Amino acid sequence: MASRSSDKDGDSVHTASEVPLTPRTNSPDGRRSSSDTSKSTYSLTRRISSLESRRPSSPLIDIKPIEFGVLSAKKEPIQPSVLRRTYTPDDYFRKFEPRLYSLDSSSDDVDSLTDEEILSKYQLGMLHFSTQYDLLHNHLTVRVIEARDLPPPISHDGSRQDMAHSNPYVKICLLPDQKNSKQTGVKRKTQKPVFEERYTFEIPFLEAQRRTLLLTVVDFDKFSRHCVIGKVSVPLCEVDLVKGGHWWKALIPSTQNEVELGELLLSLNYLPSAGRLNVDVIRAKQLLQTDVSQGSDPFVKIQLVHGLKLVKTKKTSFLRGTIDPFYNESFSFKVPQEELENASLVFTVFGHNMKSSNDFIGRIVIGQYSSGPSESNHWRRMLNTHRTAVEQWHSLRSRAECDRVSPASLEVT
C-alpha cells in the first residue's frame, strides 16, 4: 500500500516520445535527486551526438507531413486556380452595352443639364405646361399652355428650310402607356404657338405617381409624315401632384423622328356554309391629323383582292373633325371556301377632302398577302375559329411599307 502511494505521488505520465533513455531511480522520499537529473541530461546529449555522427553526408530533404483536418490560424489555405477564358476580338466587343455609350438624349448626361444648358445645346425651344391631380374625382389634368423659340422646319435632305414657320401641335401621354394619348390642335405657321388646352386622364393617384408624363411637340406636314421637333418627359413621382404646378421645360431630341399613323380595330368572321366573309370596322384611334384647322374627317376603304385581282371595294362613312372615330359598321363579302386561302383584305384609312383628292393616312393588308405578323396572326385565328368573330387592333403602316411586303397592296388605290 505504501509503495503504490509512493509511485502515484512521485511518477508523472509519459507519452511514447517521452520515455527516459536511462533507468530511473527514486529517492526514498519519492523525488528525483539532482544527481540523477544531471546523469539523464548527460546521457541524452551523448545519444544525440552519436546519432548526428552516423548521419550520411548527403543533402537533407525537408519533407513536410501531410496534414488532414482544419488548417491552423497560421496556415494560409491554397486557393484553386481559376481557368480564364480567352476572348476573341468579337467576344471582347460583345461585352459592351451600346445603350451606355449611345448619344440618346434621354441618357443621364442630359438629366444632369439645366434647362438653359439644354436649350443652348439643342436649340429646340421650350414648352410651358402644368399638372394638377383631383383627389375628389381621381383624375389628372394636364394643361398645355404655350411654346416658344421652336426651330423652323428643315427639308428631308437637310439642305434648306422648307418654309419660314412650322405648324406645331403637342401629343400628351402617360408612359408606359402610349396608346391612350391626347393631342392639341395645330397652330399654323408659328414658332411660338399658344395652345391653352386641358386634358384629363382617369387614373388612380398611386398609379399616377408611377407614370411619366411625355409631351411631344410635332410639326404638321400635309404632304408627308409629321416630324417630331422635340419632347419633354417628367416623372410624376418627382412633383407634387395634389398641389400642382407649372413649368417651362427645354425640349430635347426624340429617338422617334416620325409620328405613328394610328390604330384600327377590326373584327373578322367567316361562315363556311354560306361562303361569306364578314368584316366589322369598329373604331380607330390617334389617327394622323390631315387637316390643320379641324383635325381629320376619316373613313376606311375595304377592298377584297383574290390572288392579284381586285374583286370588290366598300367603304365606311366619314366622321368629321376627329382622330378617334367610332364606326361600328359591318360589311360582307362573297368568298367561297375553296377561294378563301387566296383572298386578301386591304384596309386603307383616308382623310376626306371635299376640294381635292382624299388624304392618305395609313393601310394594312390581312389575308394571303398580309402586311405584317400581326395581320397574319389575325387571319390565322379567324381560319381556326369559323363562325366566331375575332377582334384585333392593328397599327397602320405607310403605303410604301405595304407595297414593299404585300403584292395585294399594289393592286389597289
Side-chain angles (χ1 to χ4, degrees):
M1 292 288 290
S3 62
R4 290 184 182 179
S5 177
S6 173
D7 292 339
K8 184 177 180 180
D9 295 335
D11 294 342
S12 59
V13 180
H14 296 278
T15 62
S17 61
E18 296 172 344
V19 175
L21 297 178
T22 58
R24 186 186 64 181
T25 58
N26 293 340
S27 59
D29 58 358
R31 292 177 294 180
R32 183 179 295 178
S33 64
S34 60
S35 61
D36 291 338
T37 303
S38 60
K39 287 180 181 181
S40 298
T41 303
Y42 176 73
S43 175
L44 178 59
T45 303
R46 290 190 61 183
R47 283 175 177 262
I48 293 174
S49 300
S50 63
L51 289 174
E52 290 179 351
S53 63
R54 284 180 288 178
R55 184 176 297 172
S57 60
S58 59
L60 299 177
I61 300 176
D62 186 12
I63 301 177
K64 295 182 178 180
I66 300 176
E67 297 182 4
F68 297 92
V70 181
L71 294 172
S72 63
K74 296 183 180 180
K75 303 287 185 179
E76 294 184 3
I78 300 175
Q79 298 295 333
S81 60
V82 179
L83 296 178
R84 298 186 179 275
R85 175 184 172 188
T86 57
Y87 288 93
T88 62
D90 292 339
D91 293 331
Y92 179 78
F93 288 106
R94 196 176 293 118
K95 294 188 297 181
F96 287 100
E97 296 186 38
R99 65 181 180 82
L100 299 178
Y101 306 95
S102 67
L103 297 178
D104 183 11
S105 61
S106 61
S107 57
D108 293 337
D109 59 340
V110 174
D111 295 336
S112 64
L113 299 177
T114 64
D115 286 317
E116 290 76 11
E117 292 171 334
I118 294 175
L119 182 62
S120 175
K121 181 177 181 179
Y122 298 111
Q123 299 182 0
L124 295 176
M126 301 189 74
L127 182 65
H128 190 195
F129 62 96
S130 69
T131 62
Q132 176 79 52
Y133 190 85
D134 188 341
L135 288 174
L136 182 61
H137 300 94
N138 289 325
H139 66 244
L140 175 69
T141 300
V142 179
R143 175 185 170 208
V144 182
I145 305 172
E146 61 180 320
R148 70 185 184 196
D149 301 327
L150 298 180
I154 304 297
S155 63
H156 293 293
D157 58 6
S159 59
R160 61 182 178 83
Q161 296 180 0
D162 281 341
M163 57 187 76
H165 298 97
S166 301
N167 299 309
Y169 65 94
V170 181
K171 297 193 70 172
I172 309 103
C173 67
L174 298 178
L175 297 178
D177 180 16
Q178 298 191 57
K179 302 299 183 182
N180 298 315
S181 60
K182 318 282 186 181
Q183 75 177 47
T184 69
V186 179
K187 302 303 176 182
R188 301 187 59 173
K189 297 184 178 181
T190 177
Q191 307 311 117
K192 47 182 181 179
V194 178
F195 299 102
E196 283 295 348
E197 298 183 30
R198 298 173 184 267
Y199 300 92
T200 300
F201 294 87
E202 301 289 339
I203 184 172
F205 179 73
L206 294 179
E207 178 63 24
Q209 290 184 312
R210 291 191 286 264
R211 300 294 188 93
T212 296
L213 174 63
L214 176 64
L215 301 163
T216 307
V217 182
V218 186
D219 183 17
F220 175 90
D221 190 340
K222 181 178 178 63
F223 302 103
S224 66
R225 300 191 70 170
H226 304 181
C227 296
V228 175
I229 297 175
K231 68 176 183 178
V232 171
S233 58
V234 180
L236 296 181
C237 62
E238 298 178 359
V239 301
D240 189 338
L241 293 178
V242 177
K243 181 179 179 181
H246 62 91
W247 303 270
W248 276 102
K249 290 288 185 180
L251 297 173
I252 62 176
S254 173
T255 55
Q256 181 184 1
N257 294 323
E258 294 179 337
V259 179
E260 295 181 355
L261 302 178
E263 291 186 280
L264 186 63
L265 179 60
L266 302 171
S267 174
L268 302 180
N269 177 27
Y270 184 72
L271 302 177
S273 57
R276 306 296 298 185
L277 177 58
N278 300 321
V279 178
D280 293 335
V281 180
I282 303 173
R283 59 169 296 199
K285 65 179 180 180
Q286 293 301 299
L287 296 177
L288 185 71
Q289 191 164 330
T290 58
D291 193 301
V292 174
S293 59
Q294 57 180 6
S296 298
D297 300 332
F299 68 93
V300 182
K301 182 187 287 188
I302 309 101
Q303 296 168 290
L304 174 64
V305 178
H306 182 262
L308 295 178
K309 181 182 178 181
L310 177 61
V311 177
K312 194 75 173 177
T313 298
K314 299 184 179 184
K315 63 181 180 179
T316 68
S317 57
F318 68 89
L319 302 180
R320 293 186 178 277
T322 178
I323 59 173
D324 300 298
F326 284 83
Y327 297 104
N328 289 321
E329 298 184 30
S330 299
F331 306 89
S332 183
F333 297 89
K334 180 69 176 179
V335 182
Q337 190 167 6
E338 61 272 13
E339 298 179 3
L340 185 61
E341 62 179 9
N342 296 321
S344 297
L345 289 170
V346 182
F347 297 86
T348 307
V349 183
F350 290 96
H352 179 70
N353 195 323
M354 294 288 293
K355 298 180 180 180
S356 61
S357 60
N358 296 322
D359 301 314
F360 178 89
I361 295 178
R363 171 179 290 172
I364 60 167
V365 183
I366 301 177
Q368 180 189 15
Y369 298 115
S370 293
S371 53
S374 174
E375 294 87 325
S376 297
N377 180 59
H378 195 178
W379 184 256
R380 186 166 51 251
R381 289 170 57 206
M382 183 206 70
L383 294 178
N384 294 334
T385 56
H386 288 169
R387 302 181 183 87
T388 302
V390 180
E391 290 186 7
Q392 186 170 321
W393 280 101
H394 296 276
S395 296
L396 295 176
R397 304 175 186 270
S398 66
R399 189 196 304 268
E401 183 179 0
C402 289
D403 290 349
R404 186 171 60 252
V405 301
S406 174
S409 178
L410 296 171
E411 302 302 319
V412 302
T413 57

